[in-house]
Amino acid sequence: LSQIIKNELLPKFLDCKSKSVNLICVSIGTLERANDFCEENEFPKDVLYADAENVAYDALKLNFGLKETLFDQSTPYSIVDRVKTGKIGELTSVLMRWKPWIPPKREQGFNQGGTFVFKTTNRDSDENSTYTCVYDWYDPATGAHAPANEILKACEID
């Protein structure tokens, strides 16, 4: 997912600053590990937040479990899709540099991610703003992520 964000989404988000679109990525783990990830993947540190206690994942009720992590049929299909679209090089590049690590809570290794787009519907101040979710995607399995074009459409970015 980091390659999709870095190569497909981030450039579009940076080009549309006038629309007040902010990209925020939340990952399991510690801030130290998030910084390591950013360095290894040339990923911008200012958009990645660490969720060591699993607060965001739990609140959003993201998919969780061994079946969803590796044994869901979406996992091999996402790899086949990468081969068909010529993006398998991104995956192999990441896997060649991959370093095993233990998350703060061992069960976090079974978390699946998601993608959410929120729109400000009432902005009195930063503390009193109201947000509405206009797009949600719950990753069904490892490697099965929200389509970039759907995310951009939800953000009203062409």
Side-chain angles (χ1 to χ4, degrees):
L1 180 59
S2 66
Q3 296 299 317
I4 293 169
I5 293 170
K6 185 174 83 172
N7 298 333
E8 296 180 37
L9 297 177
L10 191 58
K12 301 249 183 183
F13 279 92
L14 292 175
D15 286 344
C16 74
K17 287 290 187 185
S18 63
K19 291 188 178 191
S20 299
V21 175
N22 296 312
L23 176 65
I24 297 172
C25 301
V26 179
S27 178
I28 60 169
T30 63
L31 180 58
E32 178 183 50
R33 182 63 184 122
N35 287 332
D36 291 344
F37 172 86
C38 290
E39 288 174 24
E40 285 287 327
N41 294 283
E42 298 176 0
F43 194 82
K45 289 182 181 182
D46 61 330
V47 300
L48 183 61
Y49 294 81
D51 183 10
E53 296 301 317
N54 229 56
V55 174
Y57 282 75
D58 292 344
L60 293 167
K61 297 183 172 115
L62 294 168
N63 291 327
F64 173 86
L66 185 59
K67 176 192 168 287
E68 291 83 2
T69 305
L70 296 173
F71 300 117
D72 185 271
Q73 66 182 1
S74 301
T75 299
Y77 285 127
S78 70
I79 294 170
V80 168
D81 186 55
R82 284 179 183 265
V83 171
K84 287 181 180 177
T85 60
K87 295 181 181 177
I88 194 68
E90 294 173 351
L91 179 61
T92 55
S93 171
V94 169
L95 290 175
M96 288 174 52
R97 296 186 321 271
W98 184 77
K99 297 175 187 173
W101 66 281
I102 307 290
K105 296 179 177 186
R106 289 192 181 245
E107 65 270 13
Q108 288 175 315
F110 299 113
N111 282 351
Q112 291 303 308
T115 303
F116 302 88
V117 176
F118 296 94
K119 188 172 189 170
T120 306
T121 53
N122 177 22
R123 183 180 290 270
D124 293 333
S125 67
D126 285 340
E127 293 104 32
N128 294 325
S129 294
T130 305
Y131 299 92
T132 302
C133 185
V134 295
Y135 178 82
D136 63 355
W137 169 282
Y138 291 80
D139 291 354
T142 302
H145 306 297
N149 63 323
E150 288 184 14
I151 298 167
L152 294 170
K153 183 178 177 183
C155 293
E156 299 175 2
I157 299 173
D158 298 328

